[in-house]
């Protein structure tokens, strides 16, 4: 309510998570606003555009000494972009050459469908993560245990030889070991509804 102060007591470990969630929400709102302003100021009148300029900002594949949820999301996005580009550039073009009888030399390319299945599949890492977030007593350790049990047979899933809080994915760009600490909290990324409404004003 306007001119009133609302105090929501949080436990010490909850306050930084809420602060970070609010910062991400504000960043998202600002970024969306800037993209809308840029698009509006550079757009041609409706129906008059004969050509356009497109910008695709691709962030790089990430591999650090310690990799967490953020690196998994970034590397997953890169896997999706890799698949999109290989499907469009290589597979579709070669299929078209085949249909039209155009002479061409077969170009081999890495198919990363198995890596995407491991990450986004029905029983992939992200599905297991979402499932574990729904359990009131779900923890990072219980998520890791489910990943080890469910995905152990997958050819691109890496389990450390020694007991540790990690799992790995054999990406098209290389193997990455992810440290499980914080996965559930980062995936939940809860922002109270009142804050979302206030940020949209």
């Amino acid at each position: 309510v306007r001119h009133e102060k609302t105090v929501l007591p949080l436990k010490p470990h909850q306050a930084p998570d809420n602060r970070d969630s609010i910062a991400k929400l504000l960043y998202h709102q600002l970024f969306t606003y800037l993209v809308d302003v840029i698009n509006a100021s550079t757009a041609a009148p409706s129906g008059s555009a004969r050509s356009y300029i497109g910008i695709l900002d691709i962030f790089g594949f990430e591999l650090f000494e310690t990799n967490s949820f953020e690196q998994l999301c970034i590397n997953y996005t890169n896997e999706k972009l890799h698949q999109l580009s290989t499907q469009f550039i290589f597979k579709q073009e070669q299929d078209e050459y085949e249909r039209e009888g155009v002479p061409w030399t077969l170009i081999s390319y890495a198919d990363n469908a198995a890596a995407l299945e491991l990450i986004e599949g029905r029983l992939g890492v992200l599905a297991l993560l979402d499932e574990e977030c729904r359990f009131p007593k779900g923890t990072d350790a219980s998520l890791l245990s489910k990943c080890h049990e469910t995905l152990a047979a997958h050819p691109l899933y890496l389990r450390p030889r020694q007991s540790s809080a990690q799992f790995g994915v054999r990406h098209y760009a290389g193997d990455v070991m992810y440290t499980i600490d914080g996965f559930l909290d980062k995936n939940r990324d809860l922002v109270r509804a009142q804050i979302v409404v206030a940020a949209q004003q």
Side-chain angles (χ1 to χ4, degrees), residues 5 14 16 35 43-44 67 80 83 85 104 127 129 182:
K5 182 186 272 188
Q14 293 175 313
V35 168
N67 302 287
K80 293 291 278 188
Q83 184 186 53
S85 64
W104 57 281
L129 174 59

Side-chain angles (χ1 to χ4, degrees), residues 48-122:
S48 67
R50 292 186 184 162
S51 59
Y52 67 92
I53 297 173
I55 298 173
L56 175 60
D57 180 15
I58 301 177
F59 36 83
F61 186 83
E62 290 194 351
L63 172 60
F64 299 121
E65 194 166 318
T66 301
N67 302 287
S68 188
F69 181 69
E70 297 85 356
Q71 283 71 45
L72 177 66
C73 292
I74 289 168
N75 293 340
Y76 165 57
T77 303
N78 277 295
E79 290 280 4
K80 293 291 278 188
L81 288 170
H82 178 75
Q83 184 186 53
L84 178 68
S85 64
T86 55
Q87 288 288 322
F88 182 75
I89 294 169
F90 297 116
K91 187 173 186 330
Q92 289 181 8
E93 288 297 317
Q94 291 182 129
D95 289 348
E96 188 172 337
Y97 293 164
E98 189 83 29
R99 280 192 308 274
E100 294 177 2
V102 175
W104 57 281
T105 303
L106 179 66
I107 300 171
S108 62
Y109 57 91
D111 183 3
N112 65 336
L116 287 170
E117 176 199 1
L118 172 62
I119 298 169
E120 70 180 8
R122 192 175 62 83

